[in-house]
Amino acid sequence: MTYKNQWQVDFGVSYSTVEKSSGDSQLVLIPVGDSQTVPVYSYLGEQKTNQDFIVYLLNIRYGLSDKLEIFCYTNSFSSFTRTYYSDGNTKNKEEHRFYSAGLGFSYQLLEEKKHPALIVSASSQVVSNTKFPDGYKMTYMKHHRVSITSYYTVDPLVFLIQTVYTLNLKEKKGNQTVDYGDRISFSPHMYFAVNPYTTLSWGVEWYLQGENRINGQKTSYTTTKVSYIFGASYEITNNWIANFDYIYRPLIAGSQSFIRLMFNYKF
């Protein structure tokens, strides 16, 4: 949480790589910090396809009081696709796009004393650059998120549990529609303070993703997945903190890996 009258700026980069075999379509969910994700829907090719995604995030937070903070964020992404066909041909494609901007708040319901701390957060994407079959279009107020976070300290360990629900509304462009399914996730983590400056973390994320539809046609079924998360943070100065995470997510016909580097500055 941000203290009263204090500002915090988070900025960072998330890198994801996806490998897939056979013809398939997939909604790629790229984590970009504080349980936020960037959904990138992509067609993964006829034979073997490798896709790399880079997401850039800027998040600004301000403490209205010691228990209430407001924040705004924006992000963009780059994608690089390489498709290998059975006849030996290859096809390369890359995109660089603004994705979204939004607003939200966090409120600390309970402080950590004899019981765990409890924080509630809610946010909405004010604008989203959505991909349709024939191109992109800006849509407004179509994605909303609510999260509940609880943590408790047993020095030198911190135990944290977070539950996030994301509501995705149908998006339209002319007579075309994109309808991402709603998403709910549950993520327990453990943090270990190696010394006053360095912290290591381990965790898992389980999530259920609703079915996705494009122009009314179902492109994926309701699925559940588990991600494994390993991280480290280092306090560079009293105002600067660097965070690194590696996330691995097994898929039915491949795998998905993420590397996330975030910097936090307080002033």
Side-chain angles (χ1 to χ4, degrees):
M1 295 292 293
T2 308
Y3 293 124
K4 183 178 180 180
N5 297 328
Q6 183 186 65
W7 292 87
Q8 291 197 57
V9 177
D10 304 306
F11 57 92
V13 177
S14 292
Y15 167 76
S16 170
T17 181
V18 181
E19 291 193 10
K20 199 81 170 179
S21 298
S22 75
D24 198 5
S25 296
Q26 181 172 309
L27 178 66
V28 179
L29 299 171
I30 303 174
V32 292
D34 191 27
S35 75
Q36 299 178 38
T37 58
V38 171
V40 181
Y41 192 85
S42 57
Y43 180 65
L44 296 182
E46 294 293 339
Q47 296 297 321
K48 183 177 180 180
T49 299
N50 173 262
Q51 287 186 300
D52 295 320
F53 297 94
I54 302 176
V55 175
Y56 317 94
L57 169 72
L58 175 64
N59 186 31
I60 301 175
R61 296 183 279 162
Y62 178 72
L64 292 177
S65 71
D66 288 341
K67 292 186 177 182
L68 176 64
E69 71 173 19
I70 57 175
F71 59 85
C72 63
Y73 64 89
T74 184
N75 47 62
S76 58
F77 73 90
S78 300
S79 67
F80 308 87
T81 305
R82 295 167 297 280
T83 304
Y84 306 91
Y85 296 96
S86 57
D87 59 5
N89 291 324
T90 61
K91 182 180 180 180
N92 297 321
K93 180 182 178 181
E94 65 178 71
E95 287 186 312
H96 307 276
R97 300 276 181 176
F98 161 79
Y99 176 67
S100 71
L103 299 168
F105 73 90
S106 296
Y107 183 75
Q108 185 162 12
L109 291 174
L110 296 174
E111 295 183 1
E112 183 184 19
K113 295 180 179 178
K114 294 183 179 181
H115 47 68
L118 187 64
I119 297 173
V120 176
S121 179
S123 64
S124 295
Q125 284 187 9
V126 177
V127 57
S128 305
N129 191 14
T130 303
K131 184 176 183 180
F132 290 84
D134 68 347
Y136 286 83
K137 179 190 175 183
M138 295 293 181
T139 59
Y140 303 92
M141 301 301 291
K142 295 296 184 180
H143 305 278
H144 310 278
R145 183 175 63 92
V146 176
S147 68
I148 299 175
T149 304
S150 180
Y151 62 87
Y152 189 72
T153 304
V154 182
D155 193 44
L157 299 177
V158 176
F159 300 93
L160 180 145
I161 297 177
Q162 184 176 64
T163 300
V164 182
Y165 176 72
T166 303
L167 173 66
N168 297 313
L169 303 177
K170 183 183 295 186
E171 301 173 82
K172 296 182 179 181
K173 179 187 178 187
N175 59 357
Q176 300 180 75
T177 60
V178 171
D179 191 3
Y180 299 133
D182 296 346
R183 182 177 187 264
I184 187 169
S185 66
F186 176 76
S187 183
H189 287 261
M190 182 175 69
Y191 297 83
F192 172 65
V194 179
N195 56 49
Y197 309 101
T198 307
T199 301
L200 302 178
S201 62
W202 304 265
V204 297
E205 181 195 41
W206 173 92
Y207 74 83
L208 183 148
Q209 174 69 45
E211 64 184 32
N212 305 304
R213 293 177 179 270
I214 294 181
N215 296 332
Q217 299 296 314
K218 187 183 297 185
T219 58
S220 70
Y221 294 93
T222 298
T223 59
T224 60
K225 288 186 173 66
V226 175
S227 300
Y228 303 93
I229 306 168
F230 307 91
S233 65
Y234 181 74
E235 184 177 330
I236 303 171
T237 68
N238 289 334
N239 295 332
W240 281 96
I241 298 176
N243 298 280
F244 172 83
D245 292 302
Y246 172 76
I247 305 169
Y248 177 76
R249 180 178 299 158
L251 302 175
I252 295 176
S255 64
Q256 188 174 4
S257 299
F258 307 93
I259 295 175
R260 181 171 58 198
L261 180 63
M262 298 285 295
F263 293 93
N264 173 268
Y265 179 68
K266 302 176 183 179
F267 61 96

